[in-house]
């Protein structure tokens, strides 16, 4: 597993903890890191794409276009009103396993997040993760590539971009 993948799991855990407990929000997050350590992070709900299939095509396109070595996607999982988890998975290009992290979220009577357990990390086969195949080449029409390039440029102002330290 690439060092960036392990670092990403730690960073996303901290990021979600700060968002949930510090700001009371749990967005759907997507982030990728390329071989030079450039990290891009954005909220999936900020994408102006309705269909899940097209959203996944866009994510696969940017993973491939930016030559990612790893990426992560996270969300809130609601089992029941009183049983909620923040979960994310880190997918490594070169490894057959992925890191899946899960933490239980506690809310107060006003539905405000007040507690988050430690994130449990588990290794699972990346093929078992719904969005685990974004490294696989996808055939796209030239017009779709142009649309995705335009969308990426439009999204730049909403994207956190930084360089990860090794």
């Amino acid at each position: 597993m690439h060092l960036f993948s392990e670092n990403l799991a730690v960073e996303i855990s901290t990021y979600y903890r700060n968002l949930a407990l510090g700001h009371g929000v749990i967005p759907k997050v997507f982030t990728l890191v390329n071989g030079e350590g450039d990290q891009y992070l954005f909220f999936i709900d900020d994408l102006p794409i309705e269909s899940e299939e097209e959203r996944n095509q866009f994510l696969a396109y940017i993973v491939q276009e930016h030559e990612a070595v790893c990426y992560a996607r996270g969300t809130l999982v609601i089992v029941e009103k009183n049983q909620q988890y923040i979960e994310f998975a880190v997918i490594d290009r070169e490894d057959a396993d992925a890191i899946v992290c899960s933490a239980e979220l506690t809310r107060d009577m006003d539905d405000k997040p007040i507690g988050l357990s430690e994130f449990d990390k588990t290794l699972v086969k990346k093929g078992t993760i719904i969005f685990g195949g974004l490294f696989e080449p996808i055939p796209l029409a030239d017009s779709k590539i142009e649309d995705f390039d335009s969308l990426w440029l439009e999204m730049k102002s909403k994207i956190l971009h930084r360089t990860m330290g090794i």
Side-chain angles (χ1 to χ4, degrees), residues 11-138:
E11 287 187 3
I12 296 299
S13 299
T14 302
Y15 186 70
Y16 264 125
R17 183 170 303 284
N18 289 337
L19 284 174
L21 301 179
H23 301 283
V25 296
I26 302 101
K28 295 175 187 169
V29 170
F30 185 83
T31 184
L32 67 90
V33 180
N34 67 20
E36 286 78 48
D38 286 320
Q39 179 183 9
Y40 301 91
L41 182 141
F42 58 90
F43 299 157
I44 293 174
D45 289 338
D46 285 346
L47 292 173
I49 299 173
E50 294 299 319
S51 86
E52 190 66 26
E53 180 183 348
E54 189 174 10
R55 184 174 290 162
N56 286 335
Q57 287 176 346
F58 175 74
L59 296 176
Y61 174 74
I62 62 168
V63 161
Q64 294 165 31
E65 186 69 15
H66 287 280
E67 300 176 349
V69 294
C70 60
Y71 63 87
R73 186 171 178 175
T75 193
L76 174 66
V77 175
I78 300 173
V79 178
E80 292 183 22
K81 183 165 175 52
N82 63 346
Q83 192 176 14
Q84 300 181 13
Y85 299 88
I86 296 175
E87 294 186 347
F88 65 89
V90 178
I91 313 296
D92 189 287
R93 178 174 57 202
E94 301 298 326
D95 203 308
D97 289 329
I99 303 169
V100 174
C101 298
S102 180
E104 188 168 6
L105 181 68
T106 306
R107 295 183 183 266
D108 64 13
M109 298 301 279
D110 296 322
D111 209 30
K112 179 182 176 194
I114 58 168
L116 187 63
S117 69
E118 292 300 315
F119 277 89
D120 293 326
K121 288 196 268 184
T122 308
L123 288 179
V124 300
K125 296 294 179 201
K126 71 180 172 187
T128 63
I129 298 172
I130 294 171
F131 54 86
L134 299 182
F135 288 114
E136 301 299 319
I138 56 169

